[in-house]
């Protein structure tokens, strides 16, 4: 398809006010900006998939391109290898056996499985909590707390229940909101809290522990979303999930969280390995479904090195 470059204009038809000229996003604008314009459903991403060919000496040495809609569409890499993808002039890397669905909050219900038996056993959520620093630095748009009440956590969960992992900052009002409104509305029981302690390369803390506005840690609240037969599972999880676990790592780019999938897989209820999903994702994980308005943010090729 053809996309216009920086500074180009296109005519938008408005039945009530005639036509008007609007500026289209350029190649260097963010995925969020591209997804917010009227022609977002027309944007496509090209996946470079390995293809075995009789003329190829090595299986997978030839490739075929698959062109699919980028927004409001499940984009899947079903292969056992990483796959390169291209959108406009940007190159992305899709992990093996992974998929993403890029949309705004209104489309999240499209992720609900047809049956609870095919639901998700692990649900990781990294909400864009209202954050003055993020807004000032224009890192990403934030949302008021009430929007998170609309997440269909119960309907996303497996029939045997789901382990829910929710990232949250240290603001007390967020913790009160989660305890009194958010978890109850989702049908989630809080069972443990993990702490991500942020350190420098020399292993020292990035700030003092008692620094009020910039504490060197974030919280990961673990909860259990009840399934159809969940009484025994809840008792088992409460006994097996450790309390006050500390994760120590050097922080990466702004708001980028450490990988926790393998750590949590051992505690998921129901069949293992469980199906996994990340909500408000800004990167992808092998074997997971990633949803948000920019799940490819950290998948650009500039974030990878060839080995």
């Amino acid at each position: 398809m053809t996309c216009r470059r920086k500074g180009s204009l296109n005519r938008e038809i408005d039945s009530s006010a005639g036509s008007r000229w609007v500026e289209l996003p350029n190649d260097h604008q963010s995925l969020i900006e591209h997804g917010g314009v009227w022609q977002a459903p027309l944007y496509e991403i090209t996946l470079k998939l390995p293809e075995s060919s009789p003329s190829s000496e090595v299986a997978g040495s030839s490739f075929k391109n698959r062109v699919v809609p980028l927004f409001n569409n499940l984009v899947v890499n079903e292969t056992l290898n990483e796959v390169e993808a291209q959108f406009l002039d940007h190159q992305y890397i899709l992990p093996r056996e992974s998929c993403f669905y890029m949309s705004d909050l209104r489309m999240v219900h499209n992720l609900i499985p047809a049956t609870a038996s095919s639901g998700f056993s692990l649900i990781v959520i990294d909400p864009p909590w209202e954050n003055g620093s993020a807004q000032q630095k224009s890192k990403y748009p934030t949302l008021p707390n009430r929007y998170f009440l609309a997440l269909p956590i119960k309907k996303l969960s497996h029939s045997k229940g789901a382990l829910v992992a929710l990232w949250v900052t240290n603001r007390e009002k967020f913790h009160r909101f989660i305890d009194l409104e958010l978890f109850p509305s989702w049908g989630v029981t809080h069972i443990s809290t993990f702490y991500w302690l942020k350190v420098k390369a020399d292993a020292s803390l990035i700030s003092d522990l008692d620094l009020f506005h910039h504490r060197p840690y974030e919280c990961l609240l673990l909860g259990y979303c009840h399934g159809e037969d969940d009484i025994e599972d809840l008792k088992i999880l409460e006994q097996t999930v450790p309390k006050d676990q500390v994760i120590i790592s050097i922080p990466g780019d702004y708001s980028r969280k450490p990988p926790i999938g393998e750590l949590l897989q051992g505690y998921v209820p129901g069949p293992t390995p469980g199906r996994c999903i990340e909500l408000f994702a800004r990167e992808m994980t092998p074997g997971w479904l990633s949803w948000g308005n920019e799940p490819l943010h950290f998948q650009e090729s500039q974030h990878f090195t060839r080995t």
Side-chain angles (χ1 to χ4, degrees):
M1 64 172 293
T2 303
C3 294
R4 297 178 184 271
R5 301 294 181 179
K6 181 177 181 181
S8 61
L9 299 175
N10 196 22
R11 178 171 287 170
E12 179 178 320
I13 303 301
D14 186 328
S15 58
S16 62
S19 62
R20 58 193 178 94
W21 292 97
V22 295
E23 187 168 355
L24 301 186
N26 61 73
D27 290 3
H28 300 288
Q29 287 180 295
S30 71
L31 292 167
I32 295 176
E33 291 169 309
H34 282 292
V37 297
W38 66 268
Q39 77 277 29
L42 303 178
Y43 283 134
E44 295 172 329
I45 188 170
T46 301
L47 277 60
K48 188 177 181 182
L49 298 171
E51 180 181 40
S52 297
S53 170
S55 60
S56 303
E57 295 182 2
V58 180
S61 61
S62 61
F63 296 88
K64 61 179 179 181
N65 289 337
R66 179 190 297 170
V67 181
V68 296
L70 176 61
F71 296 100
N72 303 331
N73 178 54
L74 187 65
V75 180
V76 182
N77 171 21
E78 69 274 18
T79 74
L80 297 176
N81 301 296
E82 294 178 342
V83 164
E84 295 182 1
Q86 180 175 355
F87 171 61
L88 299 179
D89 290 337
H90 298 262
Q91 305 293 326
Y92 300 91
I93 306 296
L94 308 188
R96 57 175 175 79
E97 299 180 297
S98 66
C99 54
F100 71 86
Y101 193 99
M102 185 152 29
S103 75
D104 61 23
L105 187 58
R106 293 171 296 179
M107 299 294 179
V108 69
H109 286 77
N110 291 339
L111 304 177
I112 297 173
T115 62
S117 60
S118 58
F120 298 94
S121 300
L122 175 57
I123 303 174
V124 175
I125 312 165
D126 188 12
W129 302 102
E130 287 187 307
N131 183 324
S133 176
Q135 293 174 339
Q136 292 171 6
K137 297 177 181 179
S138 300
K139 292 295 183 179
Y140 54 81
T142 60
L143 288 173
N145 291 349
R146 66 181 183 276
Y147 283 83
F148 308 134
L149 296 168
L151 292 173
I153 302 302
K154 187 77 171 179
K155 294 180 179 179
L156 290 171
S157 299
H158 192 276
S159 58
K160 295 295 184 180
L163 180 66
V164 177
L166 175 68
W167 287 104
V168 62
T169 64
N170 295 298
R171 295 185 66 180
E172 288 298 326
K173 77 168 189 176
F174 292 156
H175 287 260
R176 289 196 301 270
F177 169 71
I178 294 167
D179 291 338
L180 299 177
E181 297 186 56
L182 193 61
F183 272 3
S185 72
W186 288 351
V188 170
T189 301
H190 184 200
I191 58 177
S192 181
T193 299
F194 285 11
Y195 299 90
W196 172 31
L197 191 62
K198 305 175 186 180
V199 298
K200 303 175 184 177
D202 62 2
S204 63
L205 297 178
I206 62 170
S207 62
D208 294 334
L209 275 172
D210 57 355
L211 194 62
F212 184 75
H213 291 292
H214 297 284
R215 294 173 182 169
Y217 63 89
E218 290 187 42
C219 300
L220 181 67
L221 307 185
L222 299 184
Y224 180 69
C225 188
H226 310 272
E228 297 171 357
D229 303 310
D230 60 353
I231 297 178
E232 293 301 321
D233 285 332
L234 176 56
K235 290 180 179 179
I236 294 173
L237 279 176
E238 289 178 332
Q239 295 171 359
T240 58
V241 176
K243 304 297 188 290
D244 300 326
Q245 183 93 343
V246 177
I247 305 167
I248 301 175
S249 74
I250 300 173
D253 290 313
Y254 190 90
S255 189
R256 193 175 190 181
K257 303 300 190 295
I260 57 172
E262 291 188 14
L263 174 65
L264 299 181
Q265 271 284 8
Y267 309 121
V268 299
T272 54
R275 292 191 67 204
C276 305
I277 184 173
E278 182 174 2
L279 305 180
F280 300 107
R282 302 183 80 207
E283 62 185 308
M284 300 174 66
T285 303
W288 287 48
L289 167 57
S290 302
W291 169 82
N293 58 2
E294 52 173 352
L296 295 179
H297 182 81
F298 290 116
Q299 297 304 131
E300 279 204 69
S301 56
Q302 65 184 11
H303 295 291
F304 295 82
T305 56
R306 292 189 178 275
T307 57

